[in-house]
Structure formats: C-alpha cells, structure tokens
Amino acid sequence: MAFACCGASSIHGKRSIALANATKPSVTPDVNGVRGGRPNQISTARFPSPVVVTWLPKSLFSQFMRAANIFFLGVSILVCMPFSPTAWSSTALPFAGVLLWTALKDLYEDMRRRRDDIAENLRKCWRFDFVSGKFRQVPWQEVLCGDVVLTLQDEVFPADLLILSASSGRAFISTANLDGETNLKERRPPAACLAALSTPEPSENGEEVKSSGSLTMIVAEGVANEVFSKALQCNLDEPKVGFDDMGGTASFKAADGLDHGETVLYADHFCPRGCVLRNTTWLVSIVAYVGNETKSRLNVATLDSKISNLQVYLNSCVKGLVSTLVVFCLYASIMAQIFGDDDSVADFFVRFCKYWIILYQIVPISLYVCFEIVKLLLGAQINMDEQMADPDTGLHAVARTADLVEELGQVQHIFTDKTGTITQNEMRFARCCVNGQDMGEFRPPPSTGTDNCATTAAPLETEGVAAVRRILQDKSSKAYEDMRRFFLCLAACHSAQVETGKSGEIVYTSSSPDEVAFLDAARSVGMVLRAQRLTPREGIAAVEMQIESPDGVMPLTVLSVVPFSSERKRMSVVCEVDGELLCITKGADSIMGPLCNGTLGDSVMKQIDTYAKLGLRTLVVGWKSVDRSFLSAWQVRMENARGSSIEVREEKLAQCARELEHSLRLSGVSAIEDRLQDGVPVAMSTLKAMGIRIWVLTGDKVETAVEIARSCRLLGDTTALISITNAASSLQAVKLLREGKDAAKANLSGDCTLILDGSSMKYATDSVDGARLIFEVGALCRTCICCRLAPQQKRRLVQIVREADKERITLSIGDGANDVPMIQGAHVGIGVRGKEGSQAVQASDIAISQFRFLVPLLQCHGRRAYRRVATFLCYYVYKHVALAVGDMCWAHQSEFAGKVAYPEWVSSAYAAFFTTVPVIGILSFDRDLPDSSAFANPELYAEGQSRIHFNSRIFTIWMLSGVWHGALSWFVPNLAVGASDPGEDPEWNKDWWTGSLASFTLVLVCVSFRLWMIALNRTSAVTLASFLISFVFYLVTMLMLSHTFLGEIMQPQIQGSFADMFASKEAMLALFLSPLALSLDLIIFVLLKLLRPTPLDCVISELKAKRSRVQAIS
C-alpha cells in the first residue's frame, strides 16, 4: 500500500505552540497561513478551482495515460487529413463522445467530492476565545493550530488534538472512522497536564447539556483558562503517516518563568481527526495538527491496482491485432506500389495511413468501455445475491472492485486466516490449569442453551466454576493462594473497559474477545472487576481498579502496561496490590516458557497439549514481585523509549520489556474456545471438491490448528500429516522439506497435509531452495496448515506461491488488520466483516460476512463470470475481425486503391449499437445452471482453473471463424449483385453500395447467429429482447442514412441503397441463402458438444435428461 498525502505542499515540520495568559496562541513556524488562513479546510476534489478551467484538461490528461486512447487519438488525427478515405466525423465524433462521457463522469464524481468537502468543512466545534474566556462554536475550517477546543460526548474531533484534560481523567474514543476497529481506545492527558491541571467531575444527572451556560461548559472553560494562566509550552514532531507515530514534549512554566518539568508525548496523548469521543462527558485539548497534516488525510491510501489475468491476455491479444494491422497495412501499401500508379515514398506513406484508417476498428473504440460495463453488471449481481446476505445483520456481499470478478472463477489456492474467519471470534473460557491441576469444564452444557460469550450476565455454575469457588471460599485450602493469584491476574492484566449497562449490570468491552472471556471467568468465580479510574500518581498516569473478591473489595493500581502485539505475543502489567508490586504477564506458551525460568514443566506442557487437542487456544499466565527502586528507574526508561524517534522506538520498547519480563513464576494456564462459524465444514469440503488447495494460516499452536482443521473437515481420518516443525537452522528446515516432499510423492492417494510452523518457515525462506520446496511440498498436498505465523509471514507464503507459478490464481481471506498484508498480496483479497474492525474489508476486493459465502461467490458468481468474460472478449474481437475481413477482401479486388468496403457510419453503428447491446445483455445475464445444481457439481469449477474458455487455441479458433464469416459475408452478396468490377469507381456506384449493404447485413446476421449459438438461454426474455433491440437499431439507422436528409449529410453515397437492397433479387437470394452455410458452424458446434463435452455440457445434458424423464412419468 502506498500513501498519498493530499496537498503535500502544505505539510510543515516540527512546530512549537505556546499558550500564555490573555494572549493569542503562538505557533512557530506559522502553519496557519496556508489556504488563505484556513489550514484546517480540506479538499478531496481532483479539479482545483476554477473548475471550468481545470476540469477538461486534467480529465483528458488522465485519459490519455491509457495506450488505447493514444491509439484512437492517432486514428482520429489521420481521418482529418485530406487523404482519408472516410469522413472525419465517423471516427472522431464517436471517440470524442467516449472522451466526453468519461470527462463528464469525472466531473460528476468531483462535484460529489466537493459537496462532501463543504459539509465536512462547515461542521461545528467549540473553540476557546482567549479574549472573552468562553468557548464559541465555529466551523471546522476556522480551526487553527494552537487553538484550545472542547469536545463533548459523541462529538467528532475536528483536527488531531493533544489532550489537556478530560472529565474523568481519561477519555475513550472510537476510531472506527479511521481504522475500522469497533472497540474503544483509551487516551489520557500527559503527566504534566495531570499534575498541573485540575479535573473536576461535573454532575448533571447523566444529561448532556451543550449550551454555554451548562456546568460542563463552566468546568471546561475553567480548565482552558487554567492552561493559559500556567503558560503551556508544547514542542511537537513533524506530521507523520503512522497512526502511532506522534510525539513531542509538553511543559508548564510558573509565573517566575522557571521550567517545572517536561513530559514526553506519544500516541496515547493524542486524538486523531474524525474519531468520536465516547463514554466521556467532556475533553479539553489543543489543536496539534490541522487539515492535510492530520492522520486521516496523511493516510489517504493509494493501493497498487490489481489487474486480472484476462485483462493481461486481452492486452496481449490487442498487441497481436495491432501487429497484424501493421503487417497488412505494409502489405497493402507495397502491393499498391506494385499494381498501382504510386511510386513515391510519400504515396507509400499515404496508402499505409489509408488502410490504417480503414482497418483500425479491428481494435474497436468500444472494447474497453463494454468490458468495464460487463464487469460492473457482474459485480452488481454479487452485491444483490440474497444467499450471501448475513442473516443477523442483513449485510450483503460487496464487490468493492469489479475488475477481478472473472478471477473468482479461476482460483487454485486459498489462503485463509483462522480466528474470526473460519471461527466466530466469540471466545468462551473453557478450562484452566492451576498448580498443575485441571479445574474442569467452565462452559455450560449445550442443552442449557446458554451462550457464555455474553458479557451481560454471569455464566452458570458449572464443574470448573464450582471447584474454583470452593477453593476461594476456603482459605485453609493449599490451592487457595495459587487460585486467588491466578484469577487476580486475569482480572488485572488486560486492556478492557468497564461499562455499566442499561439495567445497571457490569459490561466488559475490549479489542480482544479473549480478555472479555477472562474477565467473565473471573467474575463467575467471585473475582469481579467493578470499576477502574485513571489517576495521577508520582508523575505517571495510573489506573485504579476496584476488584470485588470473596474476601471483600480489593484495591489494585496498574502503574505500567506493556501492550500485546503480534510480534511479542504477550502482554504485561505492573500493578500494586496490598502494598506489593507485581509484574503480571500473559502470553503464548512458546514465548512464556523461556520467561518462566526456562521451562513450564512436563506436567504443564502435557496439559497444554491436551487442551490443544481439544481445539482450545491456550495462554500461559506468569507473575513476579518487582523492586520499587527498579520500577522507578524502569518507568523513566520506558517513557523515554515511548518518546523516541520511530526508527528506534520499537527496539527501545522491546529492550525495556525484556528488562521487566524475565524470571517469572508460573501462575496457570487458560484454555479458550473459539467456535466455528456456521457452515464452515460443508464449505471446506466443497472448496476441496472444487479442486482448490486450502492453506490455513494462523498464530495458534500446531495441535490447536490441527484439531480445528479436523473439525472443519480439512483433514480426514486417513489424511497423512507431513510435519515441518521446530527447525533450528536453514539446513535443517531444507532437509525436513526434502523429506516431506519424498513422503508426499510416496502417498499414492494424494490425501496428505503439510504442517508448517513459523520458525521452520523463517529458516526455510532464508534460501531460495527452501522457499521453492515450500511451494513444491504444498502443491503435492491437498491442504496446508501453517502455525505460529506473523502477519508478514502470511504475505510471504502468498508471494512464494505466486512467484513459483505465475499462472496460479491465489485468493486470501481474513477479518483482521493482521490479515491485510496477506489480502493485498493475493490476486483476489476477500475481507470478512468480523469483530476486529474493518481494516481487512477496507483492504479487500470483495467483502463478505461469513466464510461459507465463499462457496457461492466462487462456484456461482466466479465460475459464471470467468465463462462470461472470456466469451465476451473472444466474441467482441471476433465480430470486428469479421467486419474487417470485408475491407481486406475489397483491397485485393480494388487493386489496393485505398477505398472502404462498408459505409463508415454503418461501421461505427455496428461497433456502438448493432452488436454491442446483444453481447452485453446476453453474456451479462446468461445463466448456465441453478445454484443448487452448481453446488451439487463442484467439479464444474475446473473449467476456470484449466482456462478452457480463453487460451491461445480458443482465441485462434474464434479469429479463424471471424475470417470465415467475414469472407463469406463479403464475397457472396458482392458477387451476386455484380458490383465487384474494380474498374468502376464505387464512390457513386449504386449497385456497388447495394452489394456493400447486403454484405454488411450478412455480417450482422453471421455474428448474431454465432452469439445465439453460444448463448445458454437461447429463448430467454433477455436473449430475445437483446436481438430485438439490435434489429431495431439496425433498421432505424439504415432508414435514417439511406432515406433522410441526415443521410444526405452523413452518408450521401448510399441514398436509396437500403430500399434497393430489398428490391434486388440477387441481394435477397444472397441474404437468405448465405446463412445456410452457417449450418456448418452449427454442425461443428453440436459435434463438439457430443464428442468433447465440457463438464458444464455434461451436467446440462444430465439435467435435461432428468427433466425429460420426470415429464414422461407425469
């Protein structure tokens, strides 16, 4: 993904903001001078003002970036030359019409952008007037860098803001508009602000009063005046793209001018533009970045466009046709030199240009336009398919781009995430192991109908809950301290928020469903997290938690948090409980083992393996005591690391984490269930039967992933597992892969699965041979399960397959931000609407709501789209070859005089109307089978995988058919009417033009018959209506050109010829008898269906036979 910053010229570097008593905010450098003093005004329009002047030039410039438009521009220039054999208007006007249509479409889209920009810029926010000391409402576009603004609950931030104070000491924001994540994010003021500013909590009985006289407003104005009186000084970094890449320093100066401490700023202190304030009454902040410097504008993504393989093949075919055009023009020019009076180089060039003009329609102007229309119609059918509508939300599938619909019918590899993609990402606390003892089942039995993933009520007292409760209520129990500490760790080590529901119940929300499950489990055994509040403590922002235990209310203060990441695979908090400092860490067993004194112990590992074989996700929880003096020094280093530059920040944070997370003591192991989505096993079986290789990419343990794969029916009872795991070096990884390749080859049934873990993949991809072997072993296996993978490793696997076999079409499907690299790396990316935000959907080509919808998407829409698009491309080029053959034949008859064979306006109408409407109508809506029959015959999908509808042989056959039909259509009427004498000037020869119109009509009959022959629904309303519309267009056009005053202006040569054609017996005989020759095409077509049927032909024949038997019985 590339990021394009709109208005990059307005981006400034570092800036300093100073607020002093009763003075205007001072900003250095002056970032408020851009856009006429409105730096927060945004514009997404393509065409800057004045639009009347800039619109057409910029639109035309972008259109002529396409090689096809340059080709047609060259032809349009040539037809304006004196030597042109055709009227300039017949070519230049249609091309100008296409350019103008595209330009008007661009203008319409730009007007919509301008309308949205105006609405955005005129939104209101509260800005502090330092003169009156009051907050006033102003439009967003009037906001300046350095302004103090007030945001009330559920309002949107007008710029990137640095928090000064919040109603409860911290704020919760929704970033769904920015990154698609639905969970709330916590933001807090810098430590300097917490220490220097008072944050009283107003009480308004829960009502939001947004008038200037409300208590909320009075409190906020007091905070703003306090900021000015204490002289805030901020030094901010330059604007950067990364969401977490914000930094600087903040300090307050007393009246004596002395500096009383400086606080390092980082992302947790900022609120990005476009995000919404939630669960917080008010927030006072200072504007840090405005307009194009804000994160939402810096992250305007420009994705590398994906091009379908049929588009690539089409471009190659067009190049071949242009090469053919060049060769014939050279040939005709040379022959004119030999047989004609032309003998100069200038004459040769003129004759070459004449034939270029005559034959250019072999590459029709309308090809790419119609190609896009067909794809848009196919994409619309995906959007409207009711069988892919989510039953819970009602959301349909969305083809975010229609450019790749035909690739859905050619997929050979599927790369899928596990959590949230094939599972529901709704976690249930299943079991736990404390002090080596499994505590039993925490999940209620299925018969109770209770869903433990709900957060609004405590689960039933199951076996595990009862066992833990008994221990926690008996202080004399040997397991009491261990059990109490384990569930205390679960209640303390998290990033969840505590909210109060409508009925007063406690509700937990978090970006991680695991954490909600942990808190629910702790609540079920009596360890209830009641509330949490941010409070300044010793220069840091601490979180006070109120935990209710069987022993009473237990105060707990979280002093530091080292957050979870997909690279670290663990999370830690440092908290104070009963005067003791504890470090609590939870993470994957592969990570926690070395941190817990090097090993977890055999009994614990055995229990972890048992959980994994049950398909449960495991986390290990550890703890240790922390020395207070070490913590003070460590917190300083951690704050400095957070404020360091982005280039070294991650390494410094990792180093600080390593200093803390070691020598841990094992507290226990948790096991979480993530249930499969509905229909996943059936979908997996169908996809395998369609001949698609499925690779499951996950961060889980090998055993967990294997059990999930078995429950998905990816693995059968007889499936052989080829395990490439625990490699310690590149040599060992390559050796294991070679052994796995031999084992896969030796498996005669082909029913084998590759098991690959992250460490082995890392070592294998260090060498070219290792990466190639991964592909070779995976290609020999029906499925592949890749475990313990980081997000970039997922994309690397996709790249390995794409690079090893460039003909294979890959598809990636995922639901979370960590799946974005994989989705973008595949030919087709599918985003699943899940619980991890919409970043995967935003990066995808097609969005769906459940994994099982992948089957109708591929087997119904994808398979049909491939056949339709492939047939469209072949037919569209074929019909223009058939028309061009007439000009080639006439060139030989006329001794290469450079004259046209068909009236130019008739030829233009042929491309634009006569043949375009039927091919778009029929191929866009032609249905081969009912969806139920398609699902019952997954082998049909092989047609796209083997490219049977578009390859060099098929394309050649189509082109030869075009030559045959074009020659037949030209010679028979032309000879029958007797207008083939090249000695007569055909310019005003009525018989010649009568024969020409008869030949043209026969071309139209031939290509229409060919389209009807390949149509699957030959008598459907769409098919018959398409041909009827085409005939009406033909009739009206011919009458207009031959018998009206417009025809006298546009095509005077053929005046009366259309009626003469019907009056000529020879012409009528040619028109009615020549199509009999098409019976040869029909015979060949029927023989091919009988002797070499495609899988689709076989299924259609079976369905017809079944219907016949049913009718006979009835």
Side-chain angles (χ1 to χ4, degrees):
M1 176 187 289
F3 292 95
C5 174
C6 301
S9 59
S10 66
I11 301 298
H12 295 79
K14 297 181 179 181
R15 75 277 318 271
S16 297
I17 302 174
L19 302 183
N21 191 27
T23 61
K24 182 179 179 179
S26 172
V27 181
T28 308
D30 183 15
V31 300
N32 291 325
V34 299
R35 293 189 179 274
R38 290 178 170 177
N40 202 40
Q41 186 181 69
I42 60 104
S43 174
T44 60
R46 285 179 58 190
F47 310 121
S49 299
V51 179
V52 176
V53 176
T54 61
W55 154 59
L56 198 56
K58 291 197 71 172
S59 177
L60 291 176
F61 179 79
S62 63
Q63 291 186 65
F64 284 116
M65 297 298 288
R66 295 181 63 173
N69 284 336
I70 296 175
F71 170 80
F72 296 124
L73 176 63
V75 174
S76 299
I77 293 173
L78 288 178
V79 297
C80 296
M81 299 297 178
F83 56 75
S84 173
T86 64
W88 67 269
S89 55
S90 64
T91 298
L93 288 183
F95 179 53
V98 171
L99 295 177
L100 182 60
W101 171 262
T102 305
L104 289 173
K105 179 175 69 71
D106 292 342
L107 179 61
Y108 172 72
E109 292 174 351
D110 200 64
M111 291 174 64
R112 293 179 62 185
R113 292 192 190 98
R114 285 180 179 276
R115 181 193 63 196
D116 295 340
D117 290 345
I118 291 172
E120 177 89 354
N121 290 325
L122 294 181
R123 297 177 75 169
K124 300 289 187 179
C125 68
W126 296 95
R127 182 175 68 178
F128 186 71
D129 182 359
F130 66 94
V131 177
S132 64
K134 303 289 185 182
F135 279 102
R136 309 289 186 193
Q137 277 198 324
V138 296
W140 281 19
Q141 64 184 9
E142 302 294 338
V143 172
L144 303 175
C145 182
D147 283 344
V148 175
V149 298
L150 167 66
T151 308
L152 302 178
Q153 184 167 316
D154 298 327
E155 288 186 345
V156 183
F157 302 122
D160 285 359
L161 309 176
L162 170 62
I163 300 176
L164 299 177
S165 182
S167 59
S168 57
R170 60 177 174 171
F172 295 99
I173 66 173
S174 168
T175 60
N177 293 337
L178 192 64
D179 58 16
E181 295 190 13
T182 55
N183 59 288
L184 300 183
K185 309 288 195 310
E186 181 183 334
R187 293 293 185 266
R188 57 186 67 181
C193 295
L194 284 171
L197 303 176
S198 58
T199 56
E201 178 70 52
S203 174
E204 300 187 18
N205 298 322
E207 298 179 359
E208 295 178 19
V209 184
K210 297 186 179 181
S211 66
S212 59
S214 69
L215 181 57
T216 295
M217 197 65 66
I218 294 172
V219 172
E221 288 168 352
V223 171
N225 282 299
E226 189 178 6
V227 170
F228 275 86
S229 66
K230 292 188 177 180
L232 173 66
Q233 176 73 38
C234 297
N235 297 307
L236 303 177
D237 292 347
E238 64 274 11
K240 297 174 184 175
V241 172
F243 292 128
D244 295 328
D245 196 2
M246 306 175 83
T249 59
S251 62
F252 286 91
K253 295 179 184 267
D256 55 11
L258 296 177
D259 194 338
H260 290 274
E262 188 175 70
T263 298
V264 175
L265 305 176
Y266 47 90
D268 285 353
H269 301 140
F270 293 86
C271 296
R273 173 181 176 136
C275 298
V276 183
L277 183 67
R278 302 291 191 196
N279 298 348
T280 308
T281 307
W282 56 265
L283 175 75
V284 175
S285 54
I286 185 171
V287 177
Y289 305 102
V290 290
N292 291 330
E293 299 177 338
T294 59
K295 295 298 182 186
S296 60
R297 300 296 299 142
L298 289 171
N299 282 277
V300 175
T302 304
L303 294 177
D304 297 332
S305 58
K306 296 179 180 180
I307 301 177
S308 70
N309 65 331
L310 284 186
Q311 176 79 61
V312 175
Y313 296 153
L314 172 62
N315 294 339
S316 300
C317 293
V318 168
K319 291 177 183 177
L321 291 172
V322 172
S323 300
T324 303
L325 178 59
V326 171
V327 170
F328 185 85
C329 291
L330 287 172
Y331 163 75
S333 302
I334 293 171
M335 296 305 290
Q337 296 283 93
I338 296 173
F339 294 103
D341 297 330
D342 302 340
D343 54 6
S344 66
V345 175
D347 291 335
F348 178 88
F349 175 74
V350 168
R351 194 57 56 93
F352 181 91
C353 291
K354 282 185 176 182
Y355 277 103
W356 189 273
I357 294 169
I358 292 171
L359 296 171
Y360 84 93
Q361 285 208 51
I362 199 172
V363 183
I365 293 175
S366 56
L367 172 60
Y368 288 96
V369 175
C370 294
F371 189 44
E372 292 178 0
I373 291 174
V374 169
K375 288 193 173 187
L376 285 173
L377 291 173
L378 296 178
Q381 292 175 31
I382 292 175
N383 298 344
M384 295 185 294
D385 191 347
E386 290 297 330
Q387 67 180 328
M388 291 193 291
D390 189 287
D392 297 325
T393 64
L395 294 174
H396 289 70
V398 176
R400 302 182 72 247
T401 174
D403 292 339
L404 304 172
V405 288
E406 71 272 21
E407 301 234 301
L408 294 172
Q410 306 168 71
V411 173
Q412 293 165 287
H413 267 83
I414 289 179
F415 298 88
T416 177
D417 175 46
K418 183 185 76 69
T419 304
T421 303
I422 62 177
T423 63
Q424 296 182 14
N425 203 15
E426 294 181 354
M427 308 301 180
R428 298 200 303 177
F429 193 92
R431 309 181 81 91
C432 65
C433 173
V434 181
N435 200 20
Q437 180 183 358
D438 174 52
M439 301 311 301
E441 183 62 68
F442 274 66
R443 294 167 293 182
S447 58
T448 64
T450 301
D451 189 353
N452 195 32
C453 68
T455 62
T456 59
L460 297 178
E461 187 166 305
T462 57
E463 173 195 0
V465 172
V468 173
R469 277 183 174 275
R470 283 196 301 270
I471 293 173
L472 291 179
Q473 291 170 0
D474 182 8
K475 291 187 178 181
S476 62
S477 172
K478 294 181 180 179
Y480 172 78
E481 281 299 329
D482 292 331
M483 198 66 63
R484 175 179 175 274
R485 183 175 287 111
F486 175 74
F487 282 96
L488 176 64
C489 290
L490 295 185
C493 186
H494 58 82
S495 59
Q497 288 88 48
V498 184
E499 301 175 8
T500 303
K502 294 181 180 180
S503 303
E505 76 280 7
I506 295 175
V507 179
Y508 302 125
T509 61
S510 173
S511 59
S512 170
D514 298 54
E515 293 186 337
V516 176
F518 290 150
L519 290 172
D520 280 340
R523 173 168 54 183
S524 69
V525 300
M527 196 75 69
V528 185
L529 175 61
R530 289 287 179 188
Q532 52 186 7
R533 174 185 171 83
L534 187 72
T535 180
R537 178 170 174 177
E538 298 178 3
I540 63 170
V543 177
E544 291 184 353
M545 294 185 179
Q546 196 176 76
I547 299 177
E548 183 181 285
S549 70
D551 300 331
V553 177
M554 180 190 309
L556 182 149
T557 305
V558 176
L559 303 175
S560 291
V561 178
V562 184
F564 175 88
S565 71
S566 56
E567 288 75 24
R568 284 171 31 82
K569 298 182 180 178
R570 62 187 183 276
M571 172 188 181
S572 294
V573 299
V574 178
C575 58
E576 183 174 6
V577 186
D578 297 334
E580 181 183 10
L581 293 179
L582 298 178
C583 169
I584 302 172
T585 303
K586 64 179 182 184
D589 60 279
S590 59
I591 299 296
M592 293 294 291
L595 302 182
C596 291
N597 297 318
T599 179
L600 296 177
D602 293 340
S603 61
V604 174
M605 289 305 301
K606 183 178 179 181
Q607 194 62 60
I608 289 175
D609 290 340
T610 300
Y611 290 155
K613 290 175 181 177
L614 294 173
L616 304 177
R617 300 176 57 181
T618 57
L619 277 180
V620 175
V621 181
W623 68 280
K624 73 173 184 178
S625 296
V626 179
D627 181 73
R628 198 172 294 274
S629 59
F630 165 81
L631 178 63
S632 299
W634 179 85
Q635 285 178 320
V636 173
R637 293 195 297 275
M638 193 68 175
E639 285 297 308
N640 292 335
R642 285 172 176 159
S644 58
S645 64
I646 191 65
E647 293 80 10
V648 297
R649 182 183 304 164
E650 290 302 321
E651 177 56 34
K652 287 188 176 181
L653 288 173
Q655 177 60 34
C656 287
R658 287 193 291 270
E659 293 175 7
L660 177 70
E661 298 167 336
H662 63 84
S663 305
L664 301 175
R665 298 173 61 182
L666 176 65
S667 178
V669 177
S670 66
I672 297 287
E673 177 197 18
D674 187 7
R675 292 176 292 175
L676 290 177
Q677 293 181 13
D678 294 339
V680 167
V682 175
M684 288 292 190
S685 299
T686 305
L687 292 171
K688 287 178 65 178
M690 290 162 60
I692 300 176
R693 285 178 167 79
I694 302 174
W695 291 28
V696 178
L697 314 182
T698 178
D700 286 340
K701 284 175 60 67
V702 170
E703 293 82 3
T704 303
V706 168
E707 289 307 312
I708 294 292
R710 291 192 189 280
S711 61
C712 290
R713 299 185 192 170
L714 274 177
L715 306 181
D717 295 335
T718 61
T719 302
L721 301 183
I722 299 174
S723 183
I724 314 295
T725 58
N726 301 321
S729 66
S730 296
L731 290 176
Q732 185 182 4
V734 171
K735 179 184 177 183
L736 289 172
L737 284 167
R738 288 195 174 118
E739 293 173 353
K741 182 179 178 181
D742 294 337
K745 286 182 177 179
N747 190 305
L748 300 179
S749 66
D751 186 14
C752 52
T753 294
L754 171 64
I755 309 294
L756 181 70
D757 66 359
S759 62
S760 301
M761 180 198 161
K762 175 181 178 297
Y763 287 121
T765 52
D766 287 342
S767 66
V768 176
D769 288 344
R772 178 179 50 80
L773 282 168
I774 289 176
F775 169 75
E776 291 176 354
V777 178
L780 292 170
C781 298
R782 297 284 301 278
T783 56
C784 180
I785 300 173
C786 305
C787 311
R788 301 295 197 190
L789 297 184
Q792 290 303 324
Q793 285 183 305
K794 295 181 178 182
R795 174 157 187 162
R796 178 65 181 128
L797 281 173
V798 177
Q799 290 176 335
I800 286 173
V801 173
R802 292 192 62 171
E803 292 169 0
D805 187 349
K806 299 188 183 299
E807 296 298 317
R808 288 178 183 260
I809 302 299
T810 58
L811 180 149
S812 293
I813 178 170
D815 73 311
N818 62 331
D819 301 318
V820 169
M822 174 180 73
I823 289 172
Q824 293 176 339
H827 291 92
V828 183
I830 308 294
V832 178
R833 302 183 186 97
K835 302 181 183 299
E836 297 187 18
S838 61
Q839 284 180 291
V841 169
Q842 292 168 354
S844 67
D845 304 304
I846 296 174
I848 59 178
S849 296
Q850 296 185 29
F851 182 87
R852 62 187 173 93
F853 295 157
L854 203 56
V855 174
L857 184 65
L858 300 185
Q859 179 68 346
C860 298
H861 294 280
R863 181 182 57 81
R864 291 178 187 137
Y866 166 71
R867 179 184 57 79
R868 289 166 171 171
V869 172
T871 305
F872 168 84
L873 294 178
C874 292
Y875 177 81
Y876 213 89
V877 178
Y878 144 83
K879 69 187 180 68
H880 283 274
V881 169
L883 188 67
V885 167
D887 285 298
M888 293 179 178
C889 294
W890 174 239
H892 289 81
Q893 290 177 278
S894 64
E895 296 184 349
F896 305 95
K899 301 294 184 180
V900 295
Y902 302 115
E904 56 264 30
W905 277 106
V906 174
S907 297
S908 296
Y910 174 88
F913 302 110
F914 301 163
T915 58
T916 297
V917 172
V919 70
I920 291 178
I922 293 172
L923 291 182
S924 296
F925 299 100
D926 213 15
R927 291 179 67 88
D928 46 24
L929 293 169
D931 291 345
S932 57
S933 299
F935 296 145
N937 296 274
E939 69 277 2
L940 295 176
Y941 195 77
E943 290 187 351
Q945 294 170 328
S946 55
R947 316 287 198 274
I948 69 170
H949 293 298
F950 196 99
N951 52 54
S952 57
R953 183 180 66 86
I954 293 295
F955 189 76
T956 302
I957 292 173
W958 275 97
M959 295 308 99
L960 292 176
S961 297
V963 173
W964 153 240
H965 292 155
L968 172 70
S969 301
W970 174 258
F971 281 119
V972 175
N974 190 266
L975 294 174
V977 177
S980 61
D981 182 5
E984 297 184 47
D985 182 9
E987 190 70 22
W988 300 104
N989 187 321
K990 293 297 182 182
D991 287 343
W992 193 91
W993 284 112
T994 300
S996 173
L997 290 183
S999 294
F1000 176 85
T1001 303
L1002 192 53
V1003 171
L1004 189 58
V1005 170
C1006 287
V1007 298
S1008 298
F1009 176 78
R1010 183 61 182 265
L1011 180 60
W1012 177 83
M1013 194 168 64
I1014 63 173
L1016 295 175
N1017 309 126
R1018 299 186 182 96
T1019 58
S1020 69
V1022 172
T1023 301
L1024 297 179
S1026 298
F1027 283 128
L1028 179 61
I1029 293 171
S1030 174
F1031 174 74
V1032 171
F1033 274 134
Y1034 164 77
L1035 195 62
V1036 171
T1037 302
M1038 287 301 191
L1039 290 173
M1040 183 190 73
L1041 292 176
S1042 297
H1043 302 285
T1044 67
F1045 73 94
L1046 287 176
E1048 293 179 2
I1049 299 172
M1050 300 171 65
Q1051 203 80 66
Q1053 303 95 323
I1054 64 171
Q1055 287 304 297
S1057 296
F1058 189 56
D1060 293 342
M1061 180 181 72
F1062 286 98
S1064 170
K1065 296 179 181 179
E1066 294 84 356
M1068 287 296 98
L1069 284 173
L1071 285 177
F1072 283 100
L1073 295 179
S1074 296
L1076 294 177
L1078 297 179
S1079 59
L1080 177 62
D1081 294 68
L1082 186 59
I1083 292 171
I1084 295 174
F1085 182 77
V1086 172
L1087 287 176
L1088 285 175
K1089 294 284 186 183
L1090 294 175
L1091 301 178
R1092 297 186 61 182
T1094 64
L1096 179 60
D1097 295 332
C1098 296
V1099 174
I1100 291 177
S1101 298
E1102 291 176 4
L1103 285 178
K1104 288 182 178 178
K1106 186 181 295 184
R1107 289 195 196 103
S1108 299
R1109 289 194 297 269
V1110 171
Q1111 290 174 358
I1113 294 173
S1114 59

